[in-house]
Every structure is written in C-alpha cells, then in structure tokens.
Amino acid sequence: MPEVLVVDDSKVMRDMVVACLRPYPGLTFTHASSGLEAIERLSLQPYDLLVLDLNMPDIGGIEVVEFVRGQDRLRNLPIIIVTTRGDEASRTRALAVGANRFMTKPFTPDAILTEARGLLEEKRG
C-alpha cells in the first residue's frame, strides 16, 4: 500500500492535498507540519511519495529535498513541491536540488492527482 508523506505547516493545506489524492486507490497518508518533523519521519520509515511545501517555519522545503537526496535509501523518493512561490528562481532551485515536480498554489485536484499518479507508477516500474 503506497504511503505518502504530506508536509505543510498549514493543516488546511495538508488536508486539501490528501483530499485531492484520495481518488488514487490504496494510498495511505502521514502528515508532518514542519521540515524538521518531515526529516524525523523520513528517518524512521519508508515512503513512496513526498508532497512538500517550500515555506515552513523551521527547516524549509529546499533543505528537506537536499536531506532526501543526500540519503542513499531516500535518493529515489519522488517529491512534489507545492508552494505559493510561483517565481522562476524558486522553481529552478527546487528542481535543481532534486524535486521531481513543482506546483504552485492554488492547484487543481486533477493536476496534483495526475502528477502523483505519474510519479507513483513510474516508481513502481
């Protein structure tokens, strides 16, 4: 059963992401409200997809992506960045450090579901 870690300091946004991904059969979800909590959870158990905000109060999304890509066992974890930062510099930086997809808020449920489905099916092979 694919496990998704949803990381955002806004509970409303975490719940929205989960609601958008619910149509994908069999997904289970874990929430984290900060970058530090995300790193702690990633250190304790494997996930199949990470949906991550850039702007968080402690450790930002870029630093979380850098952590993930620096760990051998997490190196291939698909990452979708979901952020209010729609500028090209943020997109370029996020993708350069290893995010697989970059989406700006607001997003449509179909858009994030399509991206998640593609990454999960690509990972499954």
Side-chain angles (χ1 to χ4, degrees), residues 29-76:
F29 300 93
T30 300
H31 295 232
S33 61
S34 71
L36 180 59
E37 185 181 356
I39 288 172
E40 290 171 351
R41 292 191 179 279
L42 288 162
S43 298
L44 295 174
Q45 82 173 69
Y47 291 94
D48 299 290
L49 177 66
L50 174 60
V51 180
L52 179 65
D53 187 17
L54 282 184
N55 302 319
M56 290 182 283
D58 53 8
I59 297 174
I62 294 292
E63 290 77 16
V64 174
V65 174
E66 290 173 332
F67 170 81
V68 167
R69 295 304 180 230
Q71 305 295 311
D72 284 341
R73 71 176 187 81
L74 298 173
R75 195 173 308 274
N76 296 321

Side-chain angles (χ1 to χ4, degrees), residues 69-90:
R69 295 304 180 230
Q71 305 295 311
D72 284 341
R73 71 176 187 81
L74 298 173
R75 195 173 308 274
N76 296 321
L77 175 64
I79 301 172
I80 300 174
I81 298 290
V82 179
T83 182
T84 56
R85 292 187 191 172
D87 61 281
E88 193 56 34
S90 294

